[in-house]
Structures are given as C-alpha cells and as structure tokens.
Amino acid sequence: MRSEPKINGGFRAKMEHALYSGEKKYVIGGIAVIGVLFGVPWYFMTRGSKQQSHQDYLEKADKARSARLSAGSSSTK
C-alpha cells in the first residue's frame, strides 16, 4: 500500500479557508486587520486637533459670520 503525499493546497485555497471557515483565530485576526486599517488613518487625522463641542462650533461660526457681514457693510460705504 502506497500512501499519497498530503497536499496542503495553494495560497488561494488557504485564503478561502481563512475567509469562509469562521474559525475564531481567523475572525479575531480579521477584526484586528480591519481595526488597524481604519485606526491608523483616524489616529493621524485626529492627532493634534482639539475636539470641539457643538456650542464651540456655533460660536466660531457666529463670529465668522459677523466679521464677514461687518467687512461687507464697511466696503459698500
């Protein structure tokens, strides 16, 4: 009796197994990869910027609006 050598499969077969098997280690690995893909850009975009409340944003918008209106009215004189 001859035993056939075990074929592990190619890259595609391994990827399909990882994607569709639902094994816990692959699910956790996928969540980690997605977290890194979205977390790194988010970290760099929010680094150094102070989070503003909605009230701060409204006050800043009101100041800009009043400055724009006062500049426009003084230029028409």
Side-chain angles (χ1 to χ4, degrees), residues 50-63 65:
K50 188 181 114 189
Q51 296 295 326
Q52 294 180 343
S53 68
H54 185 65
Q55 186 63 36
D56 293 339
Y57 174 78
L58 290 176
E59 290 171 2
K60 190 175 178 181
D62 285 339
K63 287 179 186 177
R65 187 179 304 112

Side-chain angles (χ1 to χ4, degrees), residues 5-71:
K6 185 177 180 184
I7 299 174
N8 290 332
F11 177 75
R12 182 173 177 171
K14 290 179 182 179
M15 283 302 297
E16 286 182 359
H17 173 72
L19 287 174
Y20 301 118
S21 69
E23 291 182 35
K24 185 183 266 188
K25 65 181 177 182
Y26 295 126
V27 172
I28 292 172
I31 291 171
V33 167
I34 291 171
V36 167
L37 286 176
F38 286 96
V40 169
W42 174 81
Y43 170 76
F44 283 118
M45 285 190 309
T46 58
R47 182 178 61 164
S49 65
K50 188 181 114 189
Q51 296 295 326
Q52 294 180 343
S53 68
H54 185 65
Q55 186 63 36
D56 293 339
Y57 174 78
L58 290 176
E59 290 171 2
K60 190 175 178 181
D62 285 339
K63 287 179 186 177
R65 187 179 304 112
S66 63
R68 192 172 58 243
L69 290 174
S70 66

